[in-house]
Amino acid sequence: MIVIVKPQASAEQMEHLLERIRQFGLQPMVSTGSERTVVGLLGDERLLPEGALESLPAVEQVMPILKPYKLVSREFKSTDTVIEVRGIPIGGKQIQVIAGPCSVETPEQMRSSAEAVKAAGCRLMRGGAFKPRTSPYTFQGVGDEGLDYFRTAADAVGLPIVTELMDVRKIDLFLEKGVDIIQIGTRNMQNFDLLKEVGRLDVPVILKRGLSATIKEWLMAAEYIAAHGNHRIIFAERGIRTFETAYRNVLDVTAIPVLKRETHLPVIVDPSHAGGKAWLVPQLSKAAIAAGADGLLVESHPCPEEAWCDADQALSPQQLMTLMGDLRKIAEAIGREL
């Protein structure tokens, strides 16, 4: 259920409304847009007597939200949410490309990666210090010291960092190192304890779609984060598993407009994990931007053939620069900026 607040409601009237909601054992979640303020009600709405809020001076209308996902839905907030990361907007008119290596390897590799990402015109950098791998015998990431390599290299060129969190026990380390965006990977999309914990943080979260997750399951996973207080959520489509074996995953381009209809939150795409091959990345990237994605997660490496993991799908610095040029033309054609 949501309460639409009257435009002329005073601060005192608004506070009275929130206090009244709490008296019925519900938690109010306020969303202030450019045109109106909406209050979402979390909890057992059966505790709320019929007509209990409609007569309050701050209330314009009380409306039920029919979707099982409440806070992330378009019904809760009709306008697009723009998430600011150190002054860089994700969502809205501007498109962001987040590039960098699959895994953090060495200080030298991260320094070269950061310089290449910056030179290409990307404004955020990705990289994994902790890697979830299918086999327990393959490279699992550098670990704690990898965050230091990453932070130092990115800070040298002024790039915010995006990296994957796999374990709640690493949250304090991520906060200590100043991770700008926490990524929840595909294998942890329904790790509900992890989702609850990042929901308590004031750090943006990229939530990747599970290998075989439906749109509804993905939205409900985001609702776990939002229900615990963190509304700075970015959806990331990274391909889904089907019967096809000619490429790594199937990029679900259809998910982009569907999500844009269902949620007010930004939607980005990971073409690298979808295709699994560097030669597929440019075409998938262009398709994603043309379909309305707010950004991309692209793997790049100073020397892809020497990458410690996912070498086949990493772009070289020159390939990344070329891709950025092509994407600018598409962004301009659809009335957006890169």
Side-chain angles (χ1 to χ4, degrees), residues 4-276:
I4 300 175
V5 179
K6 291 178 180 177
Q8 68 273 21
S10 67
E12 291 76 15
Q13 290 171 337
M14 184 68 177
E15 185 54 42
H16 178 56
L17 167 63
L18 299 180
E19 182 57 34
R20 188 69 172 150
I21 292 170
R22 295 187 189 101
Q23 287 175 357
F24 288 111
L26 300 171
Q27 179 185 356
M29 301 293 289
V30 180
S31 173
T32 303
S34 58
E35 298 181 1
R36 67 180 185 181
T37 296
V38 173
V39 182
L41 278 60
L42 299 185
D44 186 355
E45 295 173 2
R46 293 173 297 180
L47 299 173
L48 187 68
E50 186 174 352
L53 301 178
E54 282 84 347
S55 61
L56 296 181
V59 176
E60 180 176 294
Q61 187 178 4
V62 178
M63 297 174 56
I65 295 181
L66 302 179
K67 302 285 175 62
Y69 38 90
K70 312 294 185 183
L71 301 176
V72 304
S73 73
R74 278 279 179 197
E75 294 176 60
F76 178 67
K77 185 173 184 284
S78 61
T79 56
D80 289 341
T81 290
V82 177
I83 296 172
E84 296 272 344
V85 182
R86 285 168 53 180
I88 300 168
I90 300 176
K93 187 175 182 180
Q94 197 168 105
I95 296 167
Q96 302 298 341
V97 177
I98 307 168
C102 172
S103 66
V104 175
E105 298 165 8
T106 66
E108 295 76 19
Q109 170 250 8
M110 291 306 293
R111 184 163 53 248
S112 297
S113 294
E115 290 169 355
V117 169
K118 182 76 171 182
C122 304
R123 300 180 66 189
L124 301 101
M125 184 175 176
R126 57 159 296 158
F130 305 91
K131 300 301 300 179
R133 306 300 297 278
T134 301
S135 170
Y137 305 114
T138 52
F139 174 60
Q140 306 287 312
V142 175
D144 293 11
E145 63 181 341
L147 288 181
D148 290 322
Y149 300 165
F150 193 1
R151 184 82 269 176
T152 300
D155 284 348
V157 294
L159 293 173
I161 66 172
V162 178
T163 194
E164 182 171 350
L165 176 69
M166 296 167 51
D167 190 332
V168 294
R169 293 171 296 182
K170 295 295 182 183
I171 287 178
D172 288 343
L173 175 67
F174 274 49
L175 296 178
E176 177 190 334
K177 301 302 180 185
V179 171
D180 297 288
I181 303 179
I182 291 174
Q183 176 181 301
I184 302 297
T186 184
R187 294 169 177 83
N188 278 313
M189 189 206 81
Q190 289 185 309
N191 181 340
F192 299 121
D193 287 337
L194 184 60
L195 299 181
K196 291 174 185 176
E197 290 303 318
V198 297
R200 296 184 176 100
L201 305 179
D202 185 23
V203 179
V205 175
I206 288 177
L207 180 64
K208 282 197 168 186
R209 185 180 186 179
L211 287 171
S212 301
T214 65
I215 297 290
K216 181 180 177 182
E217 289 169 339
W218 193 10
L219 286 161
M220 291 304 295
E223 189 76 9
Y224 264 91
I225 300 172
H228 285 78
N230 189 350
H231 294 195
R232 301 168 74 190
I233 306 163
I234 302 158
F235 289 93
E237 162 63 35
R238 47 83 69 205
I240 54 175
R241 179 175 289 170
T242 70
F243 55 83
E244 185 54 72
T245 58
Y247 33 84
R248 185 169 182 175
N249 295 292
V250 174
L251 178 61
D252 186 6
V253 179
T254 310
I256 301 167
V258 170
L259 278 178
K260 285 291 186 178
R261 181 184 176 91
E262 291 296 316
T263 181
H264 55 88
L265 295 167
V267 180
I268 65 175
V269 167
D270 180 347
S272 303
H273 281 90

Side-chain angles (χ1 to χ4, degrees), residues 247-314:
Y247 33 84
R248 185 169 182 175
N249 295 292
V250 174
L251 178 61
D252 186 6
V253 179
T254 310
I256 301 167
V258 170
L259 278 178
K260 285 291 186 178
R261 181 184 176 91
E262 291 296 316
T263 181
H264 55 88
L265 295 167
V267 180
I268 65 175
V269 167
D270 180 347
S272 303
H273 281 90
K277 298 291 181 182
W279 64 268
L280 280 169
V281 171
Q283 281 69 29
L284 298 181
S285 298
K286 294 170 192 176
I289 297 304
D294 296 304
L296 301 172
L297 271 172
V298 176
E299 288 193 5
S300 63
H301 194 282
C303 190
E305 61 270 21
E306 295 180 5
W308 293 3
C309 73
D310 287 348
D312 287 351
Q313 64 194 41

